[in-house]
Amino acid sequence: MSGRRPAKLRVILNPDDTRKLLLPDGIPGTMEQLLDEIKKVCGLKGNIRLQYQDKDFGDALVNLSSTEELADLATIKVIPINDCSQEDNLTVCDESFNSDVTEVLSSPSSSVSTRTQMWPREFPIPKFSYDTEIQLEKGNTVFRSNMTRLTLCSKTKSDILEKVAEEIFKYKAYPTDADFSDVAEALIRKHPCLTEPGSYNGCYGWKQRLKTKMGNYRTQLKGIGCSELLVNSLKSKAPEDASPAKKVKRPRRGEANHIPEIPTGETSEKLESERLSLLHEVTKRNNRAVIKTKMAQTFSLRRQEVVENELHVVELKARWPALFTVDEINCEFQRITTVPLQPRFLASLDKHHSKLIEIIRNKGGIVREKTRDILKVLDQSLDVMLKRECLLKCLIVYLGEDVDQLIKEYL
């Protein structure tokens, strides 16, 4: 080890604590030696694992399994490991220490109504009551043998519709016509004995029944005070809009948590107090962790103000200044949609990179003149981040915007 050249590593302990690690004898030959050195220098205790920035994936963080992956001036991130069993360390424990680009819904903002995922690609049909499941199991067996459909009694049919409606509401309060079609098709795909004779797709009747059932289910939830549905009650509307079909506030496309319930143990008064506290916290430096916690805690209050009161941007910025920081824009997007904004955007950008560049190259006139130098840099570079930057600049020019007004470079 003494023959090695000295090395320096950038060590990220948490978003507000980054340190420089000096290694006079160079990068250790084993992971155990590197872990011991980091623990000693940074004063860490307990089990940790490391991630490093992999250039093959655009400097994305990847689990470090060998010190041979590291070079001088590399960046590594320390991730604590809690007391989970060893075989679960790479699954359960990792979820407890997600990086900044994969923010999850924070526990203070969670409640029964908080949704954690978007509408699935293939809708999961839930399990029904025991007697219903027995009937369906026998019916499916008979259907596969001689194509005889199951005749349902009203109780069984009601059980199926009720359970499916509850499952739908876990993802959306106001499903679209296409969503109902997906659910109906998934139902007969799992239980073919429910296929309807005379229907063009075998499930049109189930689709219509589910629409009726969801309307009744929403009425039931509105009666017990569900915030997402109360906002559309006649009592909540202005007198001039007091019509069932007028100004219905539904989630926009992609919104999973439209108006979540206030978390258990909280009240509107307590959350308003936290909002006022936030106004003071945003004036402090290096206070990201506290701001993040309070913003997650007040998520339900903020959504009620945005949807019900329809705040203008100026009002929203005055009441929630922390919402207009880069970190909180990413966090708020994931709270609302359950999808990480920046990773999803960059992944889509990489996916469509070649097609977008082809479209831009085929464009003539002033766009070709403005993008010529940018495309030269893109062709000469192998760095993923630089390629993304060039593509974004080309897209801005292609859309007729001024690059200098949207991108500022700091040296």
Side-chain angles (χ1 to χ4, degrees):
M1 187 178 288
S2 59
R4 296 183 179 181
R5 298 177 58 185
K8 300 176 184 177
L9 296 177
R10 176 171 172 256
V11 181
I12 302 174
L13 299 179
N14 60 59
D16 300 320
D17 190 357
T18 302
R19 305 184 188 183
K20 181 167 68 174
L21 176 63
L22 301 177
L23 300 169
D25 297 324
I27 297 174
T30 65
M31 286 294 297
E32 290 74 14
Q33 292 173 329
L34 178 59
L35 290 170
D36 291 340
E37 187 69 20
I38 291 175
K39 287 182 181 180
K40 183 175 72 172
V41 173
C42 299
L44 301 177
K45 297 181 181 180
N47 296 325
I48 62 172
R49 63 181 180 84
L50 303 176
Q51 291 183 334
Y52 75 105
Q53 289 183 331
D54 193 331
K55 296 187 182 300
D56 294 338
F57 297 98
D59 288 336
L61 289 171
V62 178
N63 291 338
L64 179 65
S65 58
S66 172
T67 56
E68 294 180 359
E69 301 285 353
L70 298 179
D72 187 24
L73 303 180
T75 296
I76 58 177
K77 181 174 181 178
V78 176
I79 299 181
I81 297 178
N82 60 12
D83 295 331
C84 299
S85 59
Q86 291 299 317
E87 63 270 20
D88 292 337
N89 277 343
L90 294 180
T91 54
V92 179
C93 297
D94 288 0
E95 294 172 5
S96 302
F97 298 98
N98 284 312
S99 62
D100 292 341
V101 296
T102 55
E103 298 286 356
V104 295
L105 290 173
S106 303
S107 56
S109 69
S110 61
S111 67
V112 176
S113 67
T114 302
R115 297 185 176 95
T116 57
Q117 54 184 319
M118 298 288 291
W119 185 268
R121 291 188 177 182
E122 185 169 342
F123 189 84
I125 300 300
K127 290 197 69 172
F128 306 116
S129 63
Y130 183 70
D131 58 320
T132 300
E133 286 290 339
I134 290 179
Q135 292 182 61
L136 292 175
E137 183 178 352
K138 292 181 178 179
N140 291 333
T141 303
V142 173
F143 183 83
R144 292 188 181 99
S145 64
N146 56 23
M147 302 298 289
T148 301
R149 299 175 179 85
L150 178 65
T151 301
L152 298 175
C153 64
S154 58
K155 178 179 179 296
T156 304
K157 188 178 295 185
S158 177
D159 178 47
I160 293 174
L161 293 173
E162 185 173 346
K163 291 292 196 307
V164 174
E166 291 176 1
E167 192 69 20
I168 291 174
F169 197 83
K170 291 180 181 179
Y171 302 99
K172 286 185 179 181
Y174 296 94
T176 63
D177 185 79
D179 294 332
F180 282 114
S181 295
D182 291 342
V183 177
E185 290 171 5
L187 180 63
I188 64 169
R189 192 161 50 243
K190 183 175 181 180
H191 300 294
C193 64
L194 298 179
T195 305
E196 298 173 317
S199 173
Y200 74 95
N201 60 356
C203 60
Y204 182 78
W206 284 109
K207 173 182 172 181
Q208 299 305 317
R209 294 187 198 100
L210 285 170
K211 283 186 176 182
T212 303
K213 184 62 181 179
M214 275 302 295
N216 295 336
Y217 189 57
R218 282 195 295 265
T219 302
Q220 179 183 343
L221 292 178
K222 189 186 300 182
I224 61 176
C226 179
S227 299
E228 189 172 5
L229 302 173
L230 279 177
V231 69
N232 293 318
S233 65
L234 297 182
K235 293 181 180 179
S236 302
K237 294 182 178 181
E240 62 273 14
D241 299 324
S243 171
K246 192 173 183 181
K247 293 198 72 174
V248 177
K249 296 177 180 178
R250 301 182 181 181
R252 295 180 182 273
R253 182 179 180 182
E255 289 185 358
N257 292 301
H258 188 48
I259 310 180
E261 299 289 335
I262 292 178
T264 305
E266 300 287 354
T267 63
S268 298
E269 291 73 21
K270 287 183 181 179
L271 295 182
E272 177 63 18
S273 176
E274 291 294 336
R275 185 192 70 80
L276 296 175
S277 174
L278 258 171
L279 297 177
H280 176 66
E281 295 294 341
V282 294
T283 61
K284 300 179 182 179
R285 299 178 61 184
N286 301 324
N287 201 25
R288 180 179 177 276
V290 175
I291 292 174
K292 176 183 172 183
T293 301
K294 289 183 177 294
M295 286 292 286
Q297 186 176 356
T298 55
F299 175 57
S300 57
L301 176 66
R302 188 163 55 254
R303 288 300 298 169
Q304 286 181 5
E305 291 186 359
V306 170
V307 178
E308 295 181 22
N309 301 336
E310 299 180 350
L311 297 180
H312 295 292
V313 175
V314 176
E315 298 175 291
L316 191 63
K317 195 169 185 178
R319 291 181 61 80
W320 303 96
L323 186 60
F324 292 81
T325 62
V326 175
D327 290 332
E328 281 307 318
I329 288 174
N330 282 295
C331 289
E332 192 79 354
F333 185 88
Q334 183 153 359
R335 294 185 194 111
I336 296 173
T337 66
T338 74
V339 175
L341 172 61
Q342 193 167 327
R344 175 61 67 88
F345 172 75
L346 293 178
S348 298
L349 193 68
D350 294 340
K351 178 181 178 181
H352 302 290
H353 180 276
S354 57
K355 188 64 177 178
L356 290 171
I357 289 298
E358 180 184 346
I359 293 173
I360 292 168
R361 290 186 191 277
N362 292 335
K363 188 72 174 177
I366 190 67
V367 173
R368 174 172 292 182
E369 291 293 325
K370 289 184 176 181
T371 58
R372 180 178 288 117
D373 293 338
I374 303 175
L375 291 173
K376 284 181 181 178
V377 175
L378 186 145
D379 294 335
Q380 297 170 0
S381 175
L382 297 176
D383 183 74
V384 175
M385 298 302 291
L386 187 57
K387 283 179 173 290
R388 290 170 176 170
E389 178 186 339
C390 292
L391 176 55
L392 287 173
K393 286 182 177 180
C394 289
L395 284 174
I396 292 171
V397 173
Y398 183 85
L399 296 173
E401 300 289 344
D402 186 355
V403 175
D404 296 330
Q405 292 295 323
L406 297 176
I407 295 180
K408 293 185 182 295
E409 298 183 0
Y410 294 89
L411 303 178

mmCIF file of all heavy atoms in Angstrom, residues 119 123 125 161 164 168 177-192 194-196 199-211:
data_model
loop_
_atom_site.group_PDB
_atom_site.id
_atom_site.type_symbol
_atom_site.label_atom_id
_atom_site.label_comp_id
_atom_site.label_asym_id
_atom_site.label_seq_id
_atom_site.Cartn_x
_atom_site.Cartn_y
_atom_site.Cartn_z
ATOM 1 N N TRP A 119 -51.902 4.895 -11.018
ATOM 2 C CA TRP A 119 -52.765 3.872 -11.601
ATOM 3 C C TRP A 119 -51.888 2.798 -12.245
ATOM 4 O O TRP A 119 -51.019 3.100 -13.059
ATOM 5 C CB TRP A 119 -53.676 4.501 -12.648
ATOM 6 C CG TRP A 119 -54.686 3.560 -13.218
ATOM 7 C CD1 TRP A 119 -54.547 2.792 -14.333
ATOM 8 C CD2 TRP A 119 -55.997 3.276 -12.707
ATOM 9 N NE1 TRP A 119 -55.685 2.051 -14.545
ATOM 10 C CE2 TRP A 119 -56.591 2.325 -13.559
ATOM 11 C CE3 TRP A 119 -56.723 3.744 -11.601
ATOM 12 C CZ2 TRP A 119 -57.867 1.831 -13.359
ATOM 13 C CZ3 TRP A 119 -57.997 3.248 -11.394
ATOM 14 C CH2 TRP A 119 -58.568 2.310 -12.253
ATOM 15 N N PHE A 123 -54.484 -3.603 -13.778
ATOM 16 C CA PHE A 123 -55.224 -3.391 -12.535
ATOM 17 C C PHE A 123 -55.293 -4.681 -11.717
ATOM 18 O O PHE A 123 -55.664 -5.748 -12.244
ATOM 19 C CB PHE A 123 -56.637 -2.891 -12.839
ATOM 20 C CG PHE A 123 -57.388 -2.448 -11.615
ATOM 21 C CD1 PHE A 123 -57.215 -1.163 -11.123
ATOM 22 C CD2 PHE A 123 -58.243 -3.313 -10.949
ATOM 23 C CE1 PHE A 123 -57.893 -0.748 -9.992
ATOM 24 C CE2 PHE A 123 -58.923 -2.911 -9.821
ATOM 25 C CZ PHE A 123 -58.740 -1.620 -9.335
ATOM 26 N N ILE A 125 -57.012 -7.133 -9.389
ATOM 27 C CA ILE A 125 -58.331 -7.476 -8.864
ATOM 28 C C ILE A 125 -58.165 -8.001 -7.438
ATOM 29 O O ILE A 125 -57.377 -8.928 -7.198
ATOM 30 C CB ILE A 125 -59.016 -8.534 -9.741
ATOM 31 C CG1 ILE A 125 -59.191 -8.003 -11.164
ATOM 32 C CG2 ILE A 125 -60.374 -8.916 -9.156
ATOM 33 C CD1 ILE A 125 -60.036 -6.747 -11.269
ATOM 34 N N LEU A 161 -68.610 -5.958 -6.869
ATOM 35 C CA LEU A 161 -68.592 -4.537 -7.215
ATOM 36 C C LEU A 161 -68.044 -3.679 -6.075
ATOM 37 O O LEU A 161 -67.281 -2.730 -6.300
ATOM 38 C CB LEU A 161 -70.008 -4.075 -7.589
ATOM 39 C CG LEU A 161 -70.585 -4.663 -8.877
ATOM 40 C CD1 LEU A 161 -72.036 -4.269 -9.042
ATOM 41 C CD2 LEU A 161 -69.766 -4.209 -10.083
ATOM 42 N N VAL A 164 -64.163 -4.208 -5.721
ATOM 43 C CA VAL A 164 -63.451 -3.602 -6.845
ATOM 44 C C VAL A 164 -63.503 -2.082 -6.759
ATOM 45 O O VAL A 164 -62.516 -1.389 -7.043
ATOM 46 C CB VAL A 164 -64.028 -4.103 -8.184
ATOM 47 C CG1 VAL A 164 -63.383 -3.356 -9.352
ATOM 48 C CG2 VAL A 164 -63.797 -5.592 -8.338
ATOM 49 N N ILE A 168 -60.383 0.488 -6.695
ATOM 50 C CA ILE A 168 -60.251 1.604 -7.640
ATOM 51 C C ILE A 168 -59.944 2.890 -6.889
ATOM 52 O O ILE A 168 -59.078 3.678 -7.289
ATOM 53 C CB ILE A 168 -61.537 1.764 -8.478
ATOM 54 C CG1 ILE A 168 -61.696 0.593 -9.443
ATOM 55 C CG2 ILE A 168 -61.516 3.079 -9.256
ATOM 56 C CD1 ILE A 168 -63.013 0.604 -10.210
ATOM 57 N N ASP A 177 -63.228 6.825 -18.367
ATOM 58 C CA ASP A 177 -63.891 5.721 -19.067
ATOM 59 C C ASP A 177 -62.884 4.629 -19.420
ATOM 60 O O ASP A 177 -63.179 3.433 -19.306
ATOM 61 C CB ASP A 177 -64.559 6.250 -20.335
ATOM 62 C CG ASP A 177 -65.360 5.178 -21.055
ATOM 63 O OD1 ASP A 177 -66.488 4.889 -20.621
ATOM 64 O OD2 ASP A 177 -64.848 4.640 -22.061
ATOM 65 N N ALA A 178 -61.685 5.037 -19.821
ATOM 66 C CA ALA A 178 -60.642 4.064 -20.155
ATOM 67 C C ALA A 178 -60.219 3.265 -18.924
ATOM 68 O O ALA A 178 -59.917 2.069 -19.017
ATOM 69 C CB ALA A 178 -59.438 4.774 -20.763
ATOM 70 N N ASP A 179 -60.194 3.932 -17.765
ATOM 71 C CA ASP A 179 -59.840 3.229 -16.522
ATOM 72 C C ASP A 179 -60.862 2.141 -16.198
ATOM 73 O O ASP A 179 -60.498 1.025 -15.821
ATOM 74 C CB ASP A 179 -59.754 4.218 -15.356
ATOM 75 C CG ASP A 179 -58.610 5.200 -15.514
ATOM 76 O OD1 ASP A 179 -57.616 4.841 -16.164
ATOM 77 O OD2 ASP A 179 -58.711 6.322 -14.983
ATOM 78 N N PHE A 180 -62.141 2.480 -16.343
ATOM 79 C CA PHE A 180 -63.185 1.483 -16.082
ATOM 80 C C PHE A 180 -63.073 0.308 -17.053
ATOM 81 O O PHE A 180 -63.313 -0.848 -16.680
ATOM 82 C CB PHE A 180 -64.570 2.116 -16.186
ATOM 83 C CG PHE A 180 -64.968 2.924 -14.981
ATOM 84 C CD1 PHE A 180 -65.143 4.295 -15.068
ATOM 85 C CD2 PHE A 180 -65.171 2.312 -13.753
ATOM 86 C CE1 PHE A 180 -65.512 5.043 -13.958
ATOM 87 C CE2 PHE A 180 -65.540 3.045 -12.646
ATOM 88 C CZ PHE A 180 -65.707 4.411 -12.741
ATOM 89 N N SER A 181 -62.694 0.599 -18.293
ATOM 90 C CA SER A 181 -62.508 -0.483 -19.268
ATOM 91 C C SER A 181 -61.369 -1.396 -18.838
ATOM 92 O O SER A 181 -61.469 -2.627 -18.931
ATOM 93 C CB SER A 181 -62.214 0.103 -20.655
ATOM 94 O OG SER A 181 -63.323 0.826 -21.153
ATOM 95 N N ASP A 182 -60.272 -0.792 -18.341
ATOM 96 C CA ASP A 182 -59.131 -1.589 -17.871
ATOM 97 C C ASP A 182 -59.540 -2.510 -16.723
ATOM 98 O O ASP A 182 -59.148 -3.682 -16.673
ATOM 99 C CB ASP A 182 -57.999 -0.671 -17.409
ATOM 100 C CG ASP A 182 -57.358 0.074 -18.562
ATOM 101 O OD1 ASP A 182 -57.540 -0.347 -19.712
ATOM 102 O OD2 ASP A 182 -56.673 1.093 -18.304
ATOM 103 N N VAL A 183 -60.331 -1.965 -15.791
ATOM 104 C CA VAL A 183 -60.747 -2.751 -14.628
ATOM 105 C C VAL A 183 -61.657 -3.900 -15.043
ATOM 106 O O VAL A 183 -61.487 -5.050 -14.593
ATOM 107 C CB VAL A 183 -61.455 -1.855 -13.592
ATOM 108 C CG1 VAL A 183 -61.955 -2.693 -12.423
ATOM 109 C CG2 VAL A 183 -60.511 -0.772 -13.094
ATOM 110 N N ALA A 184 -62.620 -3.601 -15.900
ATOM 111 C CA ALA A 184 -63.565 -4.638 -16.340
ATOM 112 C C ALA A 184 -62.845 -5.754 -17.086
ATOM 113 O O ALA A 184 -63.128 -6.943 -16.897
ATOM 114 C CB ALA A 184 -64.648 -4.016 -17.222
ATOM 115 N N GLU A 185 -61.886 -5.378 -17.939
ATOM 116 C CA GLU A 185 -61.130 -6.389 -18.678
ATOM 117 C C GLU A 185 -60.265 -7.220 -17.738
ATOM 118 O O GLU A 185 -60.115 -8.433 -17.919
ATOM 119 C CB GLU A 185 -60.270 -5.712 -19.744
ATOM 120 C CG GLU A 185 -61.092 -5.130 -20.892
ATOM 121 C CD GLU A 185 -60.258 -4.268 -21.820
ATOM 122 O OE1 GLU A 185 -59.015 -4.210 -21.612
ATOM 123 O OE2 GLU A 185 -60.816 -3.665 -22.749
ATOM 124 N N ALA A 186 -59.673 -6.563 -16.717
ATOM 125 C CA ALA A 186 -58.864 -7.301 -15.744
ATOM 126 C C ALA A 186 -59.729 -8.278 -14.941
ATOM 127 O O ALA A 186 -59.285 -9.369 -14.581
ATOM 128 C CB ALA A 186 -58.161 -6.318 -14.807
ATOM 129 N N LEU A 187 -60.985 -7.882 -14.677
ATOM 130 C CA LEU A 187 -61.895 -8.738 -13.907
ATOM 131 C C LEU A 187 -62.206 -10.033 -14.644
ATOM 132 O O LEU A 187 -62.111 -11.124 -14.073
ATOM 133 C CB LEU A 187 -63.182 -7.972 -13.598
ATOM 134 C CG LEU A 187 -64.246 -8.731 -12.807
ATOM 135 C CD1 LEU A 187 -63.728 -9.110 -11.427
ATOM 136 C CD2 LEU A 187 -65.526 -7.886 -12.678
ATOM 137 N N ILE A 188 -62.564 -9.950 -15.903
ATOM 138 C CA ILE A 188 -62.910 -11.173 -16.634
ATOM 139 C C ILE A 188 -61.657 -11.946 -17.049
ATOM 140 O O ILE A 188 -61.733 -13.134 -17.353
ATOM 141 C CB ILE A 188 -63.784 -10.871 -17.875
ATOM 142 C CG1 ILE A 188 -63.022 -10.040 -18.897
ATOM 143 C CG2 ILE A 188 -65.077 -10.193 -17.468
ATOM 144 C CD1 ILE A 188 -63.721 -9.933 -20.230
ATOM 145 N N ARG A 189 -60.507 -11.254 -17.064
ATOM 146 C CA ARG A 189 -59.264 -11.968 -17.354
ATOM 147 C C ARG A 189 -58.873 -12.863 -16.180
ATOM 148 O O ARG A 189 -58.399 -13.979 -16.371
ATOM 149 C CB ARG A 189 -58.153 -10.959 -17.648
ATOM 150 C CG ARG A 189 -56.900 -11.563 -18.240
ATOM 151 C CD ARG A 189 -56.027 -10.543 -18.942
ATOM 152 N NE ARG A 189 -55.783 -9.369 -18.123
ATOM 153 C CZ ARG A 189 -56.193 -8.135 -18.454
ATOM 154 N NH1 ARG A 189 -56.886 -7.945 -19.567
ATOM 155 N NH2 ARG A 189 -55.924 -7.110 -17.675
ATOM 156 N N LYS A 190 -59.121 -12.366 -14.971
ATOM 157 C CA LYS A 190 -58.818 -13.173 -13.787
ATOM 158 C C LYS A 190 -59.910 -14.199 -13.518
ATOM 159 O O LYS A 190 -59.625 -15.322 -13.071
ATOM 160 C CB LYS A 190 -58.647 -12.262 -12.563
ATOM 161 C CG LYS A 190 -58.250 -13.004 -11.305
ATOM 162 C CD LYS A 190 -57.963 -12.063 -10.151
ATOM 163 C CE LYS A 190 -57.550 -12.841 -8.912
ATOM 164 N NZ LYS A 190 -57.255 -11.934 -7.754
ATOM 165 N N HIS A 191 -61.153 -13.791 -13.777
ATOM 166 C CA HIS A 191 -62.282 -14.706 -13.546
ATOM 167 C C HIS A 191 -63.076 -14.832 -14.846
ATOM 168 O O HIS A 191 -64.097 -14.148 -15.035
ATOM 169 C CB HIS A 191 -63.176 -14.175 -12.420
ATOM 170 C CG HIS A 191 -62.462 -14.025 -11.117
ATOM 171 N ND1 HIS A 191 -61.975 -15.094 -10.400
ATOM 172 C CD2 HIS A 191 -62.140 -12.910 -10.401
ATOM 173 C CE1 HIS A 191 -61.398 -14.666 -9.293
ATOM 174 N NE2 HIS A 191 -61.478 -13.351 -9.269
ATOM 175 N N PRO A 192 -62.632 -15.665 -15.769
ATOM 176 C CA PRO A 192 -63.298 -15.778 -17.078
ATOM 177 C C PRO A 192 -64.744 -16.230 -16.996
ATOM 178 O O PRO A 192 -65.517 -16.013 -17.941
ATOM 179 C CB PRO A 192 -62.428 -16.814 -17.822
ATOM 180 C CG PRO A 192 -61.674 -17.539 -16.760
ATOM 181 C CD PRO A 192 -61.467 -16.551 -15.657
ATOM 182 N N LEU A 194 -66.967 -14.863 -15.469
ATOM 183 C CA LEU A 194 -67.808 -13.670 -15.389
ATOM 184 C C LEU A 194 -68.021 -13.024 -16.760
ATOM 185 O O LEU A 194 -68.675 -11.987 -16.851
ATOM 186 C CB LEU A 194 -67.176 -12.645 -14.435
ATOM 187 C CG LEU A 194 -67.009 -13.090 -12.976
ATOM 188 C CD1 LEU A 194 -66.353 -11.995 -12.161
ATOM 189 C CD2 LEU A 194 -68.364 -13.456 -12.363
ATOM 190 N N THR A 195 -67.443 -13.626 -17.812
ATOM 191 C CA THR A 195 -67.620 -13.087 -19.161
ATOM 192 C C THR A 195 -69.104 -13.042 -19.529
ATOM 193 O O THR A 195 -69.846 -13.987 -19.272
ATOM 194 C CB THR A 195 -66.860 -13.953 -20.178
ATOM 195 O OG1 THR A 195 -65.496 -14.040 -19.785
ATOM 196 C CG2 THR A 195 -66.945 -13.360 -21.576
ATOM 197 N N GLU A 196 -69.511 -11.927 -20.117
ATOM 198 C CA GLU A 196 -70.935 -11.714 -20.418
ATOM 199 C C GLU A 196 -71.267 -12.114 -21.847
ATOM 200 O O GLU A 196 -70.564 -11.711 -22.788
ATOM 201 C CB GLU A 196 -71.300 -10.243 -20.200
ATOM 202 C CG GLU A 196 -71.114 -9.784 -18.771
ATOM 203 C CD GLU A 196 -71.324 -8.291 -18.628
ATOM 204 O OE1 GLU A 196 -70.841 -7.539 -19.486
ATOM 205 O OE2 GLU A 196 -71.964 -7.892 -17.657
ATOM 206 N N SER A 199 -71.945 -9.363 -25.190
ATOM 207 C CA SER A 199 -71.147 -8.146 -25.079
ATOM 208 C C SER A 199 -70.016 -8.187 -26.100
ATOM 209 O O SER A 199 -69.410 -9.235 -26.323
ATOM 210 C CB SER A 199 -70.577 -8.019 -23.663
ATOM 211 O OG SER A 199 -69.674 -6.933 -23.581
ATOM 212 N N TYR A 200 -69.720 -7.056 -26.721
ATOM 213 C CA TYR A 200 -68.711 -7.043 -27.784
ATOM 214 C C TYR A 200 -67.319 -7.395 -27.253
ATOM 215 O O TYR A 200 -66.469 -7.909 -27.978
ATOM 216 C CB TYR A 200 -68.680 -5.665 -28.474
ATOM 217 C CG TYR A 200 -68.043 -4.570 -27.667
ATOM 218 C CD1 TYR A 200 -66.700 -4.242 -27.843
ATOM 219 C CD2 TYR A 200 -68.776 -3.858 -26.728
ATOM 220 C CE1 TYR A 200 -66.109 -3.231 -27.105
ATOM 221 C CE2 TYR A 200 -68.204 -2.861 -25.995
ATOM 222 C CZ TYR A 200 -66.868 -2.541 -26.177
ATOM 223 O OH TYR A 200 -66.293 -1.553 -25.439
ATOM 224 N N ASN A 201 -67.064 -7.109 -25.953
ATOM 225 C CA ASN A 201 -65.773 -7.470 -25.376
ATOM 226 C C ASN A 201 -65.910 -8.378 -24.157
ATOM 227 O O ASN A 201 -64.926 -8.675 -23.482
ATOM 228 C CB ASN A 201 -64.984 -6.218 -24.992
ATOM 229 C CG ASN A 201 -65.716 -5.361 -23.971
ATOM 230 O OD1 ASN A 201 -66.858 -5.647 -23.583
ATOM 231 N ND2 ASN A 201 -65.061 -4.297 -23.545
ATOM 232 N N GLY A 202 -67.131 -8.790 -23.876
ATOM 233 C CA GLY A 202 -67.353 -9.703 -22.765
ATOM 234 C C GLY A 202 -67.418 -9.055 -21.400
ATOM 235 O O GLY A 202 -67.624 -9.740 -20.394
ATOM 236 N N CYS A 203 -67.276 -7.721 -21.328
ATOM 237 C CA CYS A 203 -67.271 -7.076 -20.006
ATOM 238 C C CYS A 203 -67.904 -5.693 -20.008
ATOM 239 O O CYS A 203 -67.736 -4.922 -19.055
ATOM 240 C CB CYS A 203 -65.845 -6.981 -19.474
ATOM 241 S SG CYS A 203 -64.724 -6.020 -20.527
ATOM 242 N N TYR A 204 -68.638 -5.347 -21.076
ATOM 243 C CA TYR A 204 -69.234 -4.006 -21.156
ATOM 244 C C TYR A 204 -70.215 -3.771 -20.010
ATOM 245 O O TYR A 204 -70.271 -2.674 -19.428
ATOM 246 C CB TYR A 204 -69.941 -3.816 -22.498
ATOM 247 C CG TYR A 204 -70.540 -2.436 -22.666
ATOM 248 C CD1 TYR A 204 -69.734 -1.354 -22.983
ATOM 249 C CD2 TYR A 204 -71.907 -2.222 -22.502
ATOM 250 C CE1 TYR A 204 -70.273 -0.077 -23.124
ATOM 251 C CE2 TYR A 204 -72.459 -0.963 -22.643
ATOM 252 C CZ TYR A 204 -71.633 0.101 -22.955
ATOM 253 O OH TYR A 204 -72.167 1.353 -23.084
ATOM 254 N N GLY A 205 -71.002 -4.786 -19.656
ATOM 255 C CA GLY A 205 -71.960 -4.636 -18.552
ATOM 256 C C GLY A 205 -71.255 -4.393 -17.228
ATOM 257 O O GLY A 205 -71.715 -3.590 -16.412
ATOM 258 N N TRP A 206 -70.124 -5.092 -16.992
ATOM 259 C CA TRP A 206 -69.361 -4.861 -15.757
ATOM 260 C C TRP A 206 -68.827 -3.434 -15.706
ATOM 261 O O TRP A 206 -68.791 -2.808 -14.637
ATOM 262 C CB TRP A 206 -68.211 -5.861 -15.665
ATOM 263 C CG TRP A 206 -68.631 -7.235 -15.283
ATOM 264 C CD1 TRP A 206 -68.659 -8.342 -16.067
ATOM 265 C CD2 TRP A 206 -69.094 -7.645 -13.990
ATOM 266 N NE1 TRP A 206 -69.122 -9.432 -15.366
ATOM 267 C CE2 TRP A 206 -69.386 -9.034 -14.082
ATOM 268 C CE3 TRP A 206 -69.298 -6.994 -12.777
ATOM 269 C CZ2 TRP A 206 -69.875 -9.766 -13.001
ATOM 270 C CZ3 TRP A 206 -69.774 -7.720 -11.693
ATOM 271 C CH2 TRP A 206 -70.062 -9.085 -11.808
ATOM 272 N N LYS A 207 -68.421 -2.932 -16.833
ATOM 273 C CA LYS A 207 -67.924 -1.553 -16.885
ATOM 274 C C LYS A 207 -68.999 -0.563 -16.459
ATOM 275 O O LYS A 207 -68.745 0.347 -15.644
ATOM 276 C CB LYS A 207 -67.455 -1.245 -18.313
ATOM 277 C CG LYS A 207 -67.073 0.204 -18.554
ATOM 278 C CD LYS A 207 -66.681 0.390 -20.013
ATOM 279 C CE LYS A 207 -66.483 1.861 -20.343
ATOM 280 N NZ LYS A 207 -66.122 2.055 -21.769
ATOM 281 N N GLN A 208 -70.215 -0.742 -16.957
ATOM 282 C CA GLN A 208 -71.300 0.175 -16.604
ATOM 283 C C GLN A 208 -71.697 0.021 -15.131
ATOM 284 O O GLN A 208 -71.975 1.014 -14.447
ATOM 285 C CB GLN A 208 -72.516 -0.087 -17.514
ATOM 286 C CG GLN A 208 -72.242 0.120 -18.986
ATOM 287 C CD GLN A 208 -71.679 1.493 -19.290
ATOM 288 O OE1 GLN A 208 -72.131 2.508 -18.754
ATOM 289 N NE2 GLN A 208 -70.655 1.541 -20.139
ATOM 290 N N ARG A 209 -71.699 -1.213 -14.640
ATOM 291 C CA ARG A 209 -72.019 -1.417 -13.217
ATOM 292 C C ARG A 209 -70.972 -0.767 -12.317
ATOM 293 O O ARG A 209 -71.306 -0.197 -11.273
ATOM 294 C CB ARG A 209 -72.108 -2.915 -12.918
ATOM 295 C CG ARG A 209 -73.258 -3.635 -13.610
ATOM 296 C CD ARG A 209 -73.362 -5.074 -13.112
ATOM 297 N NE ARG A 209 -74.146 -5.887 -14.037
ATOM 298 C CZ ARG A 209 -73.620 -6.714 -14.935
ATOM 299 N NH1 ARG A 209 -72.301 -6.853 -15.013
ATOM 300 N NH2 ARG A 209 -74.402 -7.410 -15.750
ATOM 301 N N LEU A 210 -69.718 -0.865 -12.708
ATOM 302 C CA LEU A 210 -68.651 -0.259 -11.905
ATOM 303 C C LEU A 210 -68.766 1.265 -11.879
ATOM 304 O O LEU A 210 -68.491 1.901 -10.866
ATOM 305 C CB LEU A 210 -67.284 -0.680 -12.461
ATOM 306 C CG LEU A 210 -66.858 -2.122 -12.149
ATOM 307 C CD1 LEU A 210 -65.621 -2.502 -12.947
ATOM 308 C CD2 LEU A 210 -66.590 -2.281 -10.647
ATOM 309 N N LYS A 211 -69.172 1.847 -13.003
ATOM 310 C CA LYS A 211 -69.370 3.304 -13.026
ATOM 311 C C LYS A 211 -70.457 3.708 -12.027
ATOM 312 O O LYS A 211 -70.285 4.677 -11.261
ATOM 313 C CB LYS A 211 -69.780 3.752 -14.431
ATOM 314 C CG LYS A 211 -68.643 3.803 -15.434
ATOM 315 C CD LYS A 211 -69.127 4.393 -16.747
ATOM 316 C CE LYS A 211 -67.985 4.543 -17.728
ATOM 317 N NZ LYS A 211 -68.423 5.162 -19.006
#
